[in-house]
PDB file of all heavy atoms in Angstrom:
ATOM      1  N   LYS G   1      33.951  60.295   8.618  1.00 74.00           N
ATOM      2  CA  LYS G   1      35.271  60.080   8.039  1.00 74.00           C
ATOM      3  C   LYS G   1      36.143  61.323   8.054  1.00 74.00           C
ATOM      4  O   LYS G   1      37.359  61.248   8.283  1.00 74.00           O
ATOM      5  CB  LYS G   1      35.081  59.559   6.621  1.00 74.00           C
ATOM      6  CG  LYS G   1      34.561  58.171   6.483  1.00 74.00           C
ATOM      7  CD  LYS G   1      34.522  57.697   5.098  1.00 74.00           C
ATOM      8  CE  LYS G   1      33.988  56.235   4.976  1.00 74.00           C
ATOM      9  NZ  LYS G   1      33.950  55.773   3.562  1.00 74.00           N
ATOM     10  N   LEU G   2      35.451  62.471   7.829  1.00 68.00           N
ATOM     11  CA  LEU G   2      36.225  63.702   7.864  1.00 68.00           C
ATOM     12  C   LEU G   2      36.800  64.028   9.282  1.00 68.00           C
ATOM     13  O   LEU G   2      37.954  64.393   9.424  1.00 68.00           O
ATOM     14  CB  LEU G   2      35.311  64.868   7.437  1.00 68.00           C
ATOM     15  CG  LEU G   2      35.915  66.301   7.463  1.00 68.00           C
ATOM     16  CD1 LEU G   2      37.096  66.357   6.451  1.00 68.00           C
ATOM     17  CD2 LEU G   2      34.903  67.333   7.129  1.00 68.00           C
ATOM     18  N   LEU G   3      35.960  63.644  10.287  1.00 71.00           N
ATOM     19  CA  LEU G   3      36.461  63.817  11.688  1.00 71.00           C
ATOM     20  C   LEU G   3      37.588  62.851  11.949  1.00 71.00           C
ATOM     21  O   LEU G   3      38.566  63.193  12.639  1.00 71.00           O
ATOM     22  CB  LEU G   3      35.282  63.520  12.622  1.00 71.00           C
ATOM     23  CG  LEU G   3      35.608  63.742  14.155  1.00 71.00           C
ATOM     24  CD1 LEU G   3      36.028  65.128  14.469  1.00 71.00           C
ATOM     25  CD2 LEU G   3      34.403  63.308  14.940  1.00 71.00           C
ATOM     26  N   LYS G   4      37.541  61.686  11.384  1.00 72.00           N
ATOM     27  CA  LYS G   4      38.559  60.672  11.541  1.00 72.00           C
ATOM     28  C   LYS G   4      39.869  61.144  10.946  1.00 72.00           C
ATOM     29  O   LYS G   4      41.003  60.925  11.515  1.00 72.00           O
ATOM     30  CB  LYS G   4      38.111  59.335  10.952  1.00 72.00           C
ATOM     31  CG  LYS G   4      39.189  58.216  11.054  1.00 72.00           C
ATOM     32  CD  LYS G   4      38.655  56.973  10.412  1.00 72.00           C
ATOM     33  CE  LYS G   4      39.682  55.866  10.475  1.00 72.00           C
ATOM     34  NZ  LYS G   4      39.175  54.647   9.848  1.00 72.00           N
ATOM     35  N   TYR G   5      39.840  61.801   9.776  1.00 67.00           N
ATOM     36  CA  TYR G   5      41.044  62.190   9.034  1.00 67.00           C
ATOM     37  C   TYR G   5      41.443  63.649   9.341  1.00 67.00           C
ATOM     38  O   TYR G   5      42.307  64.200   8.675  1.00 67.00           O
ATOM     39  CB  TYR G   5      40.856  61.996   7.541  1.00 67.00           C
ATOM     40  CG  TYR G   5      40.735  60.598   7.132  1.00 67.00           C
ATOM     41  CD1 TYR G   5      39.560  60.104   6.595  1.00 67.00           C
ATOM     42  CD2 TYR G   5      41.816  59.699   7.212  1.00 67.00           C
ATOM     43  CE1 TYR G   5      39.461  58.788   6.188  1.00 67.00           C
ATOM     44  CE2 TYR G   5      41.743  58.390   6.865  1.00 67.00           C
ATOM     45  CZ  TYR G   5      40.547  57.920   6.298  1.00 67.00           C
ATOM     46  OH  TYR G   5      40.440  56.679   5.905  1.00 67.00           O
ATOM     47  N   SER G   6      40.765  64.270  10.281  1.00 67.00           N
ATOM     48  CA  SER G   6      41.070  65.720  10.617  1.00 67.00           C
ATOM     49  C   SER G   6      42.486  65.836  11.169  1.00 67.00           C
ATOM     50  O   SER G   6      43.082  66.886  11.032  1.00 67.00           O
ATOM     51  CB  SER G   6      40.059  66.203  11.560  1.00 67.00           C
ATOM     52  OG  SER G   6      40.035  65.441  12.788  1.00 67.00           O
ATOM     53  N   LEU G   7      42.963  64.781  11.776  1.00 68.00           N
ATOM     54  CA  LEU G   7      44.344  64.846  12.269  1.00 68.00           C
ATOM     55  C   LEU G   7      45.367  65.124  11.183  1.00 68.00           C
ATOM     56  O   LEU G   7      46.273  65.918  11.395  1.00 68.00           O
ATOM     57  CB  LEU G   7      44.667  63.485  12.993  1.00 68.00           C
ATOM     58  CG  LEU G   7      46.084  63.333  13.548  1.00 68.00           C
ATOM     59  CD1 LEU G   7      46.325  64.349  14.588  1.00 68.00           C
ATOM     60  CD2 LEU G   7      46.332  61.920  14.053  1.00 68.00           C
ATOM     61  N   PHE G   8      45.178  64.492  10.001  1.00 69.00           N
ATOM     62  CA  PHE G   8      46.100  64.704   8.948  1.00 69.00           C
ATOM     63  C   PHE G   8      45.964  66.163   8.403  1.00 69.00           C
ATOM     64  O   PHE G   8      46.953  66.728   7.954  1.00 69.00           O
ATOM     65  CB  PHE G   8      45.794  63.724   7.789  1.00 69.00           C
ATOM     66  CG  PHE G   8      45.963  62.294   8.247  1.00 69.00           C
ATOM     67  CD1 PHE G   8      44.879  61.510   8.514  1.00 69.00           C
ATOM     68  CD2 PHE G   8      47.217  61.736   8.387  1.00 69.00           C
ATOM     69  CE1 PHE G   8      45.055  60.193   8.930  1.00 69.00           C
ATOM     70  CE2 PHE G   8      47.394  60.410   8.789  1.00 69.00           C
ATOM     71  CZ  PHE G   8      46.287  59.642   9.042  1.00 69.00           C
ATOM     72  N   LYS G   9      44.766  66.681   8.423  1.00 70.00           N
ATOM     73  CA  LYS G   9      44.576  68.082   7.986  1.00 70.00           C
ATOM     74  C   LYS G   9      45.371  69.022   8.871  1.00 70.00           C
ATOM     75  O   LYS G   9      46.059  69.905   8.443  1.00 70.00           O
ATOM     76  CB  LYS G   9      43.103  68.415   7.986  1.00 70.00           C
ATOM     77  CG  LYS G   9      42.826  69.814   7.514  1.00 70.00           C
ATOM     78  CD  LYS G   9      41.340  70.149   7.551  1.00 70.00           C
ATOM     79  CE  LYS G   9      41.107  71.590   7.109  1.00 70.00           C
ATOM     80  NZ  LYS G   9      39.657  71.919   7.194  1.00 70.00           N
ATOM     81  N   ARG G  10      45.251  68.841  10.249  1.00 74.00           N
ATOM     82  CA  ARG G  10      46.012  69.685  11.087  1.00 74.00           C
ATOM     83  C   ARG G  10      47.526  69.507  10.888  1.00 74.00           C
ATOM     84  O   ARG G  10      48.289  70.482  10.984  1.00 74.00           O
ATOM     85  CB  ARG G  10      45.618  69.278  12.590  1.00 74.00           C
ATOM     86  CG  ARG G  10      44.217  69.740  12.951  1.00 74.00           C
ATOM     87  CD  ARG G  10      44.042  69.685  14.491  1.00 74.00           C
ATOM     88  NE  ARG G  10      44.190  68.364  15.000  1.00 74.00           N
ATOM     89  CZ  ARG G  10      43.174  67.456  15.091  1.00 74.00           C
ATOM     90  NH1 ARG G  10      41.938  67.811  14.658  1.00 74.00           N
ATOM     91  NH2 ARG G  10      43.397  66.232  15.603  1.00 74.00           N
ATOM     92  N   TYR G  11      47.915  68.259  10.620  1.00 72.00           N
ATOM     93  CA  TYR G  11      49.354  68.020  10.431  1.00 72.00           C
ATOM     94  C   TYR G  11      49.803  68.760   9.158  1.00 72.00           C
ATOM     95  O   TYR G  11      50.853  69.403   9.171  1.00 72.00           O
ATOM     96  CB  TYR G  11      49.579  66.503  10.214  1.00 72.00           C
ATOM     97  CG  TYR G  11      50.933  66.116   9.824  1.00 72.00           C
ATOM     98  CD1 TYR G  11      52.095  66.192  10.658  1.00 72.00           C
ATOM     99  CD2 TYR G  11      51.192  65.831   8.459  1.00 72.00           C
ATOM    100  CE1 TYR G  11      53.332  65.891  10.219  1.00 72.00           C
ATOM    101  CE2 TYR G  11      52.481  65.508   7.986  1.00 72.00           C
ATOM    102  CZ  TYR G  11      53.492  65.529   8.895  1.00 72.00           C
ATOM    103  OH  TYR G  11      54.748  65.221   8.422  1.00 72.00           O
ATOM    104  N   LEU G  12      49.032  68.751   8.085  1.00 69.00           N
ATOM    105  CA  LEU G  12      49.370  69.455   6.867  1.00 69.00           C
ATOM    106  C   LEU G  12      49.361  70.948   7.069  1.00 69.00           C
ATOM    107  O   LEU G  12      50.172  71.686   6.509  1.00 69.00           O
ATOM    108  CB  LEU G  12      48.438  69.009   5.733  1.00 69.00           C
ATOM    109  CG  LEU G  12      48.635  67.610   5.286  1.00 69.00           C
ATOM    110  CD1 LEU G  12      47.524  67.290   4.231  1.00 69.00           C
ATOM    111  CD2 LEU G  12      50.004  67.399   4.634  1.00 69.00           C
ATOM    112  N   GLU G  13      48.447  71.446   7.867  1.00 72.00           N
ATOM    113  CA  GLU G  13      48.396  72.844   8.124  1.00 72.00           C
ATOM    114  C   GLU G  13      49.674  73.289   8.920  1.00 72.00           C
ATOM    115  O   GLU G  13      50.294  74.339   8.647  1.00 72.00           O
ATOM    116  CB  GLU G  13      47.167  73.226   8.989  1.00 72.00           C
ATOM    117  CG  GLU G  13      45.877  73.134   8.152  1.00 72.00           C
ATOM    118  CD  GLU G  13      44.644  73.294   9.004  1.00 72.00           C
ATOM    119  OE1 GLU G  13      44.812  73.375  10.257  1.00 72.00           O
ATOM    120  OE2 GLU G  13      43.574  73.411   8.425  1.00 72.00           O
ATOM    121  N   ASN G  14      50.146  72.463   9.831  1.00 77.00           N
ATOM    122  CA  ASN G  14      51.421  72.732  10.489  1.00 77.00           C
ATOM    123  C   ASN G  14      52.610  72.727   9.590  1.00 77.00           C
ATOM    124  O   ASN G  14      53.507  73.502   9.666  1.00 77.00           O
ATOM    125  CB  ASN G  14      51.630  71.733  11.637  1.00 77.00           C
ATOM    126  CG  ASN G  14      50.604  71.842  12.793  1.00 77.00           C
ATOM    127  OD1 ASN G  14      50.095  72.968  12.994  1.00 77.00           O
ATOM    128  ND2 ASN G  14      50.312  70.766  13.412  1.00 77.00           N
ATOM    129  N   VAL G  15      52.502  71.765   8.615  1.00 72.00           N
ATOM    130  CA  VAL G  15      53.595  71.699   7.604  1.00 72.00           C
ATOM    131  C   VAL G  15      53.616  72.998   6.754  1.00 72.00           C
ATOM    132  O   VAL G  15      54.682  73.549   6.469  1.00 72.00           O
ATOM    133  CB  VAL G  15      53.439  70.456   6.713  1.00 72.00           C
ATOM    134  CG1 VAL G  15      54.390  70.492   5.485  1.00 72.00           C
ATOM    135  CG2 VAL G  15      53.597  69.168   7.434  1.00 72.00           C
ATOM    136  N   VAL G  16      52.467  73.449   6.380  1.00 75.00           N
ATOM    137  CA  VAL G  16      52.356  74.715   5.592  1.00 75.00           C
ATOM    138  C   VAL G  16      52.898  75.891   6.408  1.00 75.00           C
ATOM    139  O   VAL G  16      53.644  76.737   5.870  1.00 75.00           O
ATOM    140  CB  VAL G  16      50.898  75.002   5.189  1.00 75.00           C
ATOM    141  CG1 VAL G  16      50.812  76.379   4.536  1.00 75.00           C
ATOM    142  CG2 VAL G  16      50.441  73.972   4.207  1.00 75.00           C
ATOM    143  N   GLU G  17      52.619  75.896   7.678  1.00 77.00           N
ATOM    144  CA  GLU G  17      53.087  77.056   8.513  1.00 77.00           C
ATOM    145  C   GLU G  17      54.604  77.038   8.702  1.00 77.00           C
ATOM    146  O   GLU G  17      55.220  78.060   8.843  1.00 77.00           O
ATOM    147  CB  GLU G  17      52.419  76.979   9.876  1.00 77.00           C
ATOM    148  CG  GLU G  17      50.908  77.285   9.870  1.00 77.00           C
ATOM    149  CD  GLU G  17      50.281  77.148  11.203  1.00 77.00           C
ATOM    150  OE1 GLU G  17      51.051  76.760  12.150  1.00 77.00           O
ATOM    151  OE2 GLU G  17      49.079  77.388  11.343  1.00 77.00           O
ATOM    152  N   ASN G  18      55.244  75.815   8.673  1.00 77.00           N
ATOM    153  CA  ASN G  18      56.639  75.697   8.982  1.00 77.00           C
ATOM    154  C   ASN G  18      57.439  75.342   7.755  1.00 77.00           C
ATOM    155  O   ASN G  18      58.505  74.685   7.890  1.00 77.00           O
ATOM    156  CB  ASN G  18      56.853  74.653  10.059  1.00 77.00           C
ATOM    157  CG  ASN G  18      56.175  74.964  11.372  1.00 77.00           C
ATOM    158  OD1 ASN G  18      56.409  76.055  11.876  1.00 77.00           O
ATOM    159  ND2 ASN G  18      55.326  74.126  11.890  1.00 77.00           N
ATOM    160  N   SER G  19      56.952  75.597   6.568  1.00 74.00           N
ATOM    161  CA  SER G  19      57.725  75.250   5.323  1.00 74.00           C
ATOM    162  C   SER G  19      57.475  76.345   4.311  1.00 74.00           C
ATOM    163  O   SER G  19      56.788  77.338   4.563  1.00 74.00           O
ATOM    164  CB  SER G  19      57.218  73.898   4.797  1.00 74.00           C
ATOM    165  OG  SER G  19      55.873  73.966   4.379  1.00 74.00           O
ATOM    166  N   GLN G  20      57.999  76.151   3.134  1.00 76.00           N
ATOM    167  CA  GLN G  20      57.874  77.105   2.021  1.00 76.00           C
ATOM    168  C   GLN G  20      56.581  76.938   1.242  1.00 76.00           C
ATOM    169  O   GLN G  20      56.345  77.699   0.324  1.00 76.00           O
ATOM    170  CB  GLN G  20      59.095  77.010   1.048  1.00 76.00           C
ATOM    171  CG  GLN G  20      59.071  75.774   0.135  1.00 76.00           C
ATOM    172  CD  GLN G  20      59.637  74.593   0.874  1.00 76.00           C
ATOM    173  OE1 GLN G  20      59.834  74.569   2.070  1.00 76.00           O
ATOM    174  NE2 GLN G  20      59.883  73.525   0.082  1.00 76.00           N
ATOM    175  N   PHE G  21      55.803  75.944   1.555  1.00 73.00           N
ATOM    176  CA  PHE G  21      54.559  75.701   0.814  1.00 73.00           C
ATOM    177  C   PHE G  21      53.514  76.796   1.193  1.00 73.00           C
ATOM    178  O   PHE G  21      53.456  77.228   2.323  1.00 73.00           O
ATOM    179  CB  PHE G  21      53.965  74.310   1.153  1.00 73.00           C
ATOM    180  CG  PHE G  21      54.850  73.204   0.710  1.00 73.00           C
ATOM    181  CD1 PHE G  21      55.587  72.401   1.599  1.00 73.00           C
ATOM    182  CD2 PHE G  21      54.991  72.873  -0.624  1.00 73.00           C
ATOM    183  CE1 PHE G  21      56.406  71.425   1.224  1.00 73.00           C
ATOM    184  CE2 PHE G  21      55.769  71.835  -1.038  1.00 73.00           C
ATOM    185  CZ  PHE G  21      56.515  71.070  -0.107  1.00 73.00           C
ATOM    186  N   ARG G  22      52.715  77.178   0.188  1.00 77.00           N
ATOM    187  CA  ARG G  22      51.766  78.251   0.362  1.00 77.00           C
ATOM    188  C   ARG G  22      50.526  77.711   1.004  1.00 77.00           C
ATOM    189  O   ARG G  22      49.881  78.319   1.842  1.00 77.00           O
ATOM    190  CB  ARG G  22      51.423  78.940  -0.935  1.00 77.00           C
ATOM    191  CG  ARG G  22      52.633  79.716  -1.503  1.00 77.00           C
ATOM    192  CD  ARG G  22      52.271  80.197  -2.897  1.00 77.00           C
ATOM    193  NE  ARG G  22      52.091  79.030  -3.829  1.00 77.00           N
ATOM    194  CZ  ARG G  22      51.813  79.178  -5.106  1.00 77.00           C
ATOM    195  NH1 ARG G  22      51.621  80.411  -5.641  1.00 77.00           N
ATOM    196  NH2 ARG G  22      51.676  78.123  -5.862  1.00 77.00           N
ATOM    197  N   ASP G  23      49.996  76.489   0.554  1.00 80.00           N
ATOM    198  CA  ASP G  23      48.843  75.897   1.091  1.00 80.00           C
ATOM    199  C   ASP G  23      48.886  74.413   0.939  1.00 80.00           C
ATOM    200  O   ASP G  23      49.932  73.855   0.443  1.00 80.00           O
ATOM    201  CB  ASP G  23      47.556  76.509   0.380  1.00 80.00           C
ATOM    202  CG  ASP G  23      47.724  76.437  -1.137  1.00 80.00           C
ATOM    203  OD1 ASP G  23      48.584  75.628  -1.616  1.00 80.00           O
ATOM    204  OD2 ASP G  23      46.998  77.127  -1.872  1.00 80.00           O
ATOM    205  N   ILE G  24      47.809  73.757   1.330  1.00 74.00           N
ATOM    206  CA  ILE G  24      47.779  72.276   1.275  1.00 74.00           C
ATOM    207  C   ILE G  24      47.836  71.801  -0.178  1.00 74.00           C
ATOM    208  O   ILE G  24      48.402  70.731  -0.514  1.00 74.00           O
ATOM    209  CB  ILE G  24      46.532  71.749   2.034  1.00 74.00           C
ATOM    210  CG1 ILE G  24      46.679  72.081   3.524  1.00 74.00           C
ATOM    211  CG2 ILE G  24      46.391  70.235   1.837  1.00 74.00           C
ATOM    212  CD1 ILE G  24      45.471  71.632   4.331  1.00 74.00           C
ATOM    213  N   GLU G  25      47.089  72.549  -1.037  1.00 80.00           N
ATOM    214  CA  GLU G  25      47.100  72.187  -2.461  1.00 80.00           C
ATOM    215  C   GLU G  25      48.480  72.177  -3.086  1.00 80.00           C
ATOM    216  O   GLU G  25      48.820  71.301  -3.932  1.00 80.00           O
ATOM    217  CB  GLU G  25      46.163  73.112  -3.246  1.00 80.00           C
ATOM    218  CG  GLU G  25      44.694  73.063  -2.850  1.00 80.00           C
ATOM    219  CD  GLU G  25      44.075  71.689  -3.144  1.00 80.00           C
ATOM    220  OE1 GLU G  25      44.530  71.058  -4.052  1.00 80.00           O
ATOM    221  OE2 GLU G  25      43.173  71.357  -2.431  1.00 80.00           O
ATOM    222  N   ASP G  26      49.344  73.085  -2.582  1.00 82.00           N
ATOM    223  CA  ASP G  26      50.684  73.166  -3.045  1.00 82.00           C
ATOM    224  C   ASP G  26      51.472  71.939  -2.636  1.00 82.00           C
ATOM    225  O   ASP G  26      52.248  71.349  -3.366  1.00 82.00           O
ATOM    226  CB  ASP G  26      51.379  74.390  -2.472  1.00 82.00           C
ATOM    227  CG  ASP G  26      52.704  74.721  -3.197  1.00 82.00           C
ATOM    228  OD1 ASP G  26      52.988  74.024  -4.209  1.00 82.00           O
ATOM    229  OD2 ASP G  26      53.415  75.606  -2.759  1.00 82.00           O
ATOM    230  N   ILE G  27      51.209  71.427  -1.380  1.00 75.00           N
ATOM    231  CA  ILE G  27      51.847  70.161  -0.916  1.00 75.00           C
ATOM    232  C   ILE G  27      51.323  69.006  -1.761  1.00 75.00           C
ATOM    233  O   ILE G  27      52.154  68.102  -2.129  1.00 75.00           O
ATOM    234  CB  ILE G  27      51.484  69.981   0.550  1.00 75.00           C
ATOM    235  CG1 ILE G  27      52.029  71.032   1.455  1.00 75.00           C
ATOM    236  CG2 ILE G  27      52.003  68.634   1.071  1.00 75.00           C
ATOM    237  CD1 ILE G  27      51.650  70.978   2.904  1.00 75.00           C
ATOM    238  N   ILE G  28      50.062  69.003  -2.078  1.00 78.00           N
ATOM    239  CA  ILE G  28      49.562  67.860  -2.885  1.00 78.00           C
ATOM    240  C   ILE G  28      50.193  67.896  -4.262  1.00 78.00           C
ATOM    241  O   ILE G  28      50.554  66.806  -4.789  1.00 78.00           O
ATOM    242  CB  ILE G  28      48.001  68.008  -3.019  1.00 78.00           C
ATOM    243  CG1 ILE G  28      47.326  67.869  -1.630  1.00 78.00           C
ATOM    244  CG2 ILE G  28      47.451  66.961  -3.986  1.00 78.00           C
ATOM    245  CD1 ILE G  28      45.899  68.114  -1.672  1.00 78.00           C
ATOM    246  N   ALA G  29      50.356  69.065  -4.897  1.00 83.00           N
ATOM    247  CA  ALA G  29      50.967  69.160  -6.204  1.00 83.00           C
ATOM    248  C   ALA G  29      52.404  68.677  -6.125  1.00 83.00           C
ATOM    249  O   ALA G  29      52.868  67.924  -6.997  1.00 83.00           O
ATOM    250  CB  ALA G  29      50.879  70.598  -6.684  1.00 83.00           C
ATOM    251  N   PHE G  30      53.105  69.075  -5.031  1.00 82.00           N
ATOM    252  CA  PHE G  30      54.484  68.624  -4.890  1.00 82.00           C
ATOM    253  C   PHE G  30      54.583  67.127  -4.729  1.00 82.00           C
ATOM    254  O   PHE G  30      55.450  66.478  -5.245  1.00 82.00           O
ATOM    255  CB  PHE G  30      55.120  69.367  -3.701  1.00 82.00           C
ATOM    256  CG  PHE G  30      56.544  68.990  -3.426  1.00 82.00           C
ATOM    257  CD1 PHE G  30      57.551  69.528  -4.262  1.00 82.00           C
ATOM    258  CD2 PHE G  30      56.922  68.245  -2.375  1.00 82.00           C
ATOM    259  CE1 PHE G  30      58.863  69.187  -4.030  1.00 82.00           C
ATOM    260  CE2 PHE G  30      58.250  67.916  -2.084  1.00 82.00           C
ATOM    261  CZ  PHE G  30      59.256  68.378  -2.968  1.00 82.00           C
ATOM    262  N   TYR G  31      53.661  66.578  -3.900  1.00 81.00           N
ATOM    263  CA  TYR G  31      53.651  65.075  -3.681  1.00 81.00           C
ATOM    264  C   TYR G  31      53.356  64.399  -4.992  1.00 81.00           C
ATOM    265  O   TYR G  31      53.994  63.361  -5.285  1.00 81.00           O
ATOM    266  CB  TYR G  31      52.585  64.809  -2.660  1.00 81.00           C
ATOM    267  CG  TYR G  31      52.286  63.338  -2.545  1.00 81.00           C
ATOM    268  CD1 TYR G  31      53.162  62.495  -1.863  1.00 81.00           C
ATOM    269  CD2 TYR G  31      51.165  62.741  -3.117  1.00 81.00           C
ATOM    270  CE1 TYR G  31      52.965  61.119  -1.803  1.00 81.00           C
ATOM    271  CE2 TYR G  31      50.923  61.397  -3.023  1.00 81.00           C
ATOM    272  CZ  TYR G  31      51.825  60.618  -2.348  1.00 81.00           C
ATOM    273  OH  TYR G  31      51.591  59.237  -2.277  1.00 81.00           O
ATOM    274  N   LYS G  32      52.441  64.877  -5.815  1.00 86.00           N
ATOM    275  CA  LYS G  32      52.123  64.224  -7.039  1.00 86.00           C
ATOM    276  C   LYS G  32      53.347  64.307  -8.012  1.00 86.00           C
ATOM    277  O   LYS G  32      53.626  63.296  -8.734  1.00 86.00           O
ATOM    278  CB  LYS G  32      50.941  64.877  -7.716  1.00 86.00           C
ATOM    279  CG  LYS G  32      49.629  64.650  -7.053  1.00 86.00           C
ATOM    280  CD  LYS G  32      48.462  65.323  -7.777  1.00 86.00           C
ATOM    281  CE  LYS G  32      47.119  64.990  -7.063  1.00 86.00           C
ATOM    282  NZ  LYS G  32      45.998  65.625  -7.722  1.00 86.00           N
ATOM    283  N   ALA G  33      54.050  65.400  -7.950  1.00 87.00           N
ATOM    284  CA  ALA G  33      55.266  65.520  -8.774  1.00 87.00           C
ATOM    285  C   ALA G  33      56.312  64.520  -8.359  1.00 87.00           C
ATOM    286  O   ALA G  33      56.963  63.873  -9.156  1.00 87.00           O
ATOM    287  CB  ALA G  33      55.846  66.945  -8.728  1.00 87.00           C
TER     288      ALA G  33
END
């Protein structure tokens, strides 16, 4: 399952690289908000 969802992880890593978010956890916190 982790291999199946690894695409989303890479996508989030690209988002972190090209945005003001510090890490994936920061994106999750923002999404929950």
Side-chain angles (χ1 to χ4, degrees):
K1 290 185 178 180
L2 180 61
L3 182 62
K4 179 181 178 181
Y5 293 114
S6 59
L7 177 64
F8 300 102
K9 182 181 178 182
R10 290 194 297 271
Y11 171 76
L12 290 175
E13 289 175 351
N14 293 330
V15 172
V16 172
E17 292 177 357
N18 299 305
S19 65
Q20 73 278 11
F21 296 107
R22 294 172 296 179
D23 51 18
I24 295 178
E25 297 295 332
D26 194 9
I27 297 176
I28 296 172
F30 182 73
Y31 170 76
K32 289 181 179 179

